Amino acid sequence: MATDEQGDAGRRVGSYRGGEPGPLLLCIASLHGNEPGGGTALERVLGELSASRLPMRGDLVGLRGNLRALGAGRRYIDEDLNRIWQRDRVEAVLASLRQGETAGGGAARDGDELPMVGSAELLEQRDLLAAIRDESRRARGPVYALDLHTTSSDSAPFTTVGDTLQNRELALRLPVPVILGLEEQVEGAMLQYFDRLGWRSIGFEAGRHEAPSSVEAHEDAVWILLDALGLLEAGSTPGSAERRGRLARHAEGLPRVLDVRYRHAVSEEDGFRMHSGFTNFDRIEAGEELGADRAGPVRAVRAGRILLPLYQRQGDDGFFIVRRLAPAWLVVSRFLRLMGADRLAIWLPGVRAHPERSDAIVVARRARNRTVIGLLHLLGFKARSEGGGGVMVRRLEGPGREPETDLHG
Ligand SMILES: [Zn+2]
């Protein structure tokens, strides 16, 4: 076993490598610079592991995302580091990394040769990608990625996933609500890139940015996953039952699985202000006034529960509305996906095959209603964040599906 510490809020929080090969649990903290809690939690877990010298199968690695924004205590400097993982952009960044390396002596330090210039986050993304790539090269088993976040309002901890069967399975190992469909609403999130790599990955939202309980919840989540994924021998970690109980208590009374039904997008010009007093998972009625912008009051378009109300200056999501999903939905959709029932999608009214892509379908405008989209979600399709226009893409899962891309090209 070996550990290494970089400290001083560097890119690498540290690592703990097992004596035997096994899965890599790759934890990424502070993709948003105003969310330092994940890094603190990883420091503590890694510190405890090296102090107790617990035997491990596989590797735990902690990285930090946006160092420049972390230093400034802001969500981001020029652009949101969790919105720039689009296919073309990642490819360009990886190509520039390779170029820098063949030109001799490690990665180049500036982004001059890249098509996108002048953004602090571009440099962060490049460094982070290089670190992620190095870790995946070193991996001695399957990669599991955990993306650690906190929120601007009070909140019970919860997870967010791209809704593949393998991501769901990973998320359900933590005793907190799982949110499906958030990634369909935002474009260029890092987890979408991990999905394209075929990795299992989840986002974990631990609570309010400044709350000490958020650091604790991050720690609990990492320990529980180390246990659940078999990196640590079950029951070998001191206090594992307490950790599970503590995390579960935060989420008491909340639904196990919810999906996103609405996103209130905002821009700086809107002057959107959320009314004070909302916390994650608060129930809201249709028509309830939630905030105001230059045009007047902003009301809930439907009933449900509020998620991620915006109480910080930066950000382009005003709030989301989520609804409970019946547990049967998960069972049915798992069955249908394993049966390959996605082939039947083109028989739904208003749905036809995509003219070029075998993994995609096109949904006519008249058919884009709750029922049809709901059925397509059930079958494993998601709206394509790049392109739009009613195109939905089959997620990477099920028998015989290869990752769309790889890191080492
Ligand atoms: Zn965040």
Side-chain angles (χ1 to χ4, degrees):
M1 268 149 287
T3 54
D4 58 80
E5 299 297 333
Q6 187 171 306
D8 282 343
R11 176 77 57 205
R12 296 176 58 79
V13 184
S15 61
Y16 187 74
R17 301 193 188 277
E20 284 177 59
L24 165 64
L25 179 59
L26 178 62
C27 303
I28 297 168
S30 302
L31 211 50
H32 293 131
N34 58 340
E35 303 175 15
T40 310
L42 290 170
E43 275 169 6
R44 289 188 192 166
V45 175
L46 288 163
E48 237 177 279
L49 278 169
S50 53
S52 60
R53 302 188 167 274
L54 278 177
M56 191 154 90
R57 230 169 42 81
D59 308 290
L60 170 68
V61 172
L63 299 175
R64 286 191 185 86
N66 197 336
L67 300 185
R68 287 169 178 82
L70 195 59
R74 296 169 50 169
R75 184 175 168 92
Y76 55 82
I77 305 292
D78 298 309
E79 51 185 340
D80 192 329
L81 184 55
N82 202 22
R83 296 289 183 276
I84 56 176
W85 296 79
Q86 294 84 352
R87 200 175 309 261
D88 296 352
R89 177 148 176 173
V90 175
E91 286 313 315
V93 172
L94 280 173
S96 95
L97 271 177
R98 284 183 210 116
Q99 246 170 35
E101 281 155 356
T102 40
R109 300 312 299 175
D110 56 47
D112 290 352
E113 71 281 21
L114 286 169
M116 313 71 65
V117 231
S119 141
E121 275 70 24
L122 174 59
L123 306 179
E124 295 290 339
Q125 185 179 28
R126 187 154 78 158
D127 269 10
L128 179 57
L129 251 175
I132 291 172
R133 190 192 52 178
D134 293 348
E135 289 308 332
S136 88
R137 270 190 190 136
R138 252 181 243 158
R140 299 177 291 163
V143 182
Y144 295 88
L146 178 62
D147 180 19
L148 300 173
H149 288 262
T150 47
T151 56
S152 63
S153 81
D154 276 322
S155 179
F158 62 96
T159 59
T160 61
V161 299
D163 182 21
T164 62
L165 297 177
Q166 57 177 17
N167 288 348
R168 262 189 214 174
E169 197 189 321
L170 180 60
L172 287 168
R173 290 175 185 263
L174 296 174
V176 296
V178 181
I179 309 286
L180 302 179
L182 198 63
E183 110 280 18
E184 210 180 17
Q185 302 282 337
V186 300
E187 191 186 312
M190 186 180 65
L191 290 184
Q192 294 167 1
Y193 175 59
F194 292 162
D195 273 343
R196 297 203 292 278
L197 290 172
W199 291 0
R200 283 152 245 224
S201 59
I202 57 174
F204 181 74
E205 299 276 359
R208 190 166 50 82
H209 298 326
E210 305 81 10
S213 61
S214 300
V215 177
E216 207 173 70
H218 276 138
E219 284 177 73
D220 292 343
V222 175
W223 283 111
I224 291 171
L225 288 181
L226 287 173
D227 230 28
L229 299 174
L231 282 87
L232 294 175
E233 203 170 316
S236 74
T237 46
S240 66
E242 287 81 355
R243 287 196 178 94
R244 180 164 278 279
R246 183 163 56 187
L247 208 49
R249 265 195 305 282
H250 288 299
E252 220 164 273
L254 295 175
R256 190 72 176 99
V257 184
L258 303 98
D259 77 336
V260 174
R261 298 295 179 88
Y262 177 78
R263 168 187 181 234
H264 185 70
V266 298
S267 66
E268 238 169 88
E269 302 80 66
D270 293 339
F272 173 77
R273 293 286 294 267
M274 188 86 200
H275 288 335
S276 61
F278 287 102
T279 65
N280 275 331
F281 301 107
D282 278 352
R283 287 177 191 279
I284 50 164
E285 297 301 324
E288 186 174 337
E289 191 174 319
L290 303 175
D293 60 19
R294 291 198 207 296
V298 172
R299 298 178 190 282
V301 296
R302 59 172 70 242
R305 291 172 186 262
I306 200 98
L307 193 76
L308 298 172
L310 185 68
Y311 288 120
Q312 58 194 9
R313 289 208 343 265
Q314 292 175 309
D316 49 15
D317 309 316
F319 58 86
F320 296 87
I321 299 175
V322 295
R323 297 278 296 256
R324 171 181 179 272
L325 264 184
W329 190 95
L330 292 189
V331 177
V332 171
S333 91
R334 178 182 159 78
F335 175 75
L336 288 173
R337 292 182 195 188
L338 291 175
M339 296 289 291
D342 57 301
R343 288 179 307 238
L344 305 178
I346 51 170
W347 296 98
L348 290 170
V351 179
R352 59 187 168 85
H354 191 278
E356 284 140 33
R357 292 184 58 160
S358 62
D359 63 341
I361 51 171
V362 183
V363 186
R365 189 173 295 278
R366 66 185 155 79
R368 287 177 219 162
N369 55 52
R370 198 62 232 163
T371 312
V372 172
I373 301 295
L375 280 167
L376 290 170
H377 282 161
L378 196 75
L379 294 173
F381 287 90
K382 65 164 183 168
R384 192 180 170 195
S385 55
E386 298 147 55
V391 175
M392 291 181 81
V393 180
R394 177 71 163 83
R395 292 170 193 279
L396 285 166
E397 63 182 346
R401 291 188 190 267
E402 292 294 317
E404 263 180 69
T405 182
D406 82 286
L407 255 170
H408 310 292

